[in-house]
Amino acid sequence: MSFAGMMLVGMIVDVIIGWPKAFYTRISHPVVWLGKLISMSETRLNRGSRSHRLFGGFIVVVLCLLVVIIPAAGLQSMLPNSISGLLIGGILAWPLIAVRSMHDHVCAVALPLVAGDIVTAREAVSMIVGRDPKQLNEEGIARAAIESLAENTGDGIVAPLFWGLVAGLPGIAAYKAINTLDSMIGHRSERHEAFGKAAARLDDVVNWIPARLTGLAFAIASGSGCMRALNCMNRDAKAHRSPNAGWPEGAMAGALGVRLSGPRAYGDTLVNEPWLNGGAADPSAKDLQRALLLYRRTMAGIALALAALTLL
């Protein structure tokens, strides 16, 4: 069974139809199902002393991994080693790949921003970032959207495809479980610092290679901007607050010739983050459009790589 072929099929199906609203209305989404399990588990286990919370968080990680890996492995074992098996496997992987939704969410920011509709652009960007949109001007909105596009290309697309390529359906399912755990409980807050520690650390580990591959993919897809992207990524990525997000964001900043990261506001709190490509100008609405073009080129390149691996 070609795992590369399965991932390619899942990617193509997602690009064509995304996750239809009718599906979401009737059956929701596998990540939402997992989110409900995480919420219920947290209610029961995130209590008591710090050591109890640490252990409870570890138990939730193990539970969620078992819940997704066992059925995924069972389904994969039943797939015929043929074209039909490859197609079925790809369809099963499809809900866990977010190529189209990523593009659509960022495009919803870019279109009104280019048209000068700051109010609508702020509302759209608030759906994909946590910072206070009321304080964002055109450059701030563009910067937030580009950063989200770069980081989430890594953990929403490249990482699932990578682990699917490594282990098929169990690989992509396990990764999505880890990433969902991190997004829900892996925060450095009083409530989640101990309980979400296992999830956050595991997410850092499983994203280590994909984040760097994402930066490399952005650099290659940028064409003439390849060396700028690589240089910026290698120079600035380690200064980022995240051990992984700085690599795709740094490559994106270098490829576009803009600066990213830097100070930002979360509610009333101002966070002073270091700049990526700090000597460049702030991004504009047109730079956000250029980022989307680079994203599309990167997705096309990844699809071609998967096709080549499938043939090999």
Side-chain angles (χ1 to χ4, degrees), residues 38-208:
I38 295 169
S39 294
M40 289 189 296
S41 301
E42 183 191 6
T43 300
R44 291 167 173 76
L45 298 174
N46 191 10
R47 59 180 67 178
S49 66
R50 175 178 169 79
S51 60
H52 282 123
R53 290 172 185 264
L54 282 167
F55 184 69
F58 174 77
I59 292 298
V60 172
V61 170
V62 173
L63 172 64
C64 289
L65 286 175
L66 290 175
V67 164
V68 300
I69 289 175
I70 292 173
L75 287 169
Q76 184 163 284
S77 68
M78 293 187 289
L79 295 176
N81 189 16
S82 62
I83 294 296
S84 61
L86 186 150
L87 293 174
I88 295 170
I91 291 172
L92 290 171
W94 152 47
L96 306 180
I97 303 168
V99 179
R100 180 161 180 162
S101 65
M102 175 67 62
H103 184 275
D104 289 350
H105 277 95
V106 178
C107 196
V109 180
L111 290 177
L113 194 62
V114 170
D117 186 352
I118 298 294
V119 173
T120 301
R122 281 175 178 157
E123 182 178 351
V125 83
S126 70
M127 304 297 292
I128 59 174
V129 299
R131 67 198 69 173
D132 185 0
K134 296 178 182 178
Q135 301 185 34
L136 297 178
N137 56 11
E138 176 185 328
E139 290 77 15
I141 294 170
R143 177 155 55 101
I146 293 172
E147 289 169 10
S148 179
L149 177 64
E151 179 180 1
N152 289 313
T153 296
D155 58 28
I157 301 163
V158 176
L161 291 173
F162 174 81
W163 289 108
L165 185 61
V166 169
L169 294 178
I172 192 172
Y175 173 77
K176 290 302 290 188
I178 294 167
N179 189 243
T180 304
L181 281 159
D182 179 63
S183 67
M184 293 185 66
I185 64 174
H187 310 296
R188 293 178 181 175
S189 62
E190 183 177 352
R191 178 178 177 82
H192 293 119
E193 192 277 328
F195 186 74
K197 198 175 191 67
R201 294 296 176 267
L202 186 56
D203 186 75
D204 288 342
V205 171
V206 297
N207 275 301
W208 197 92

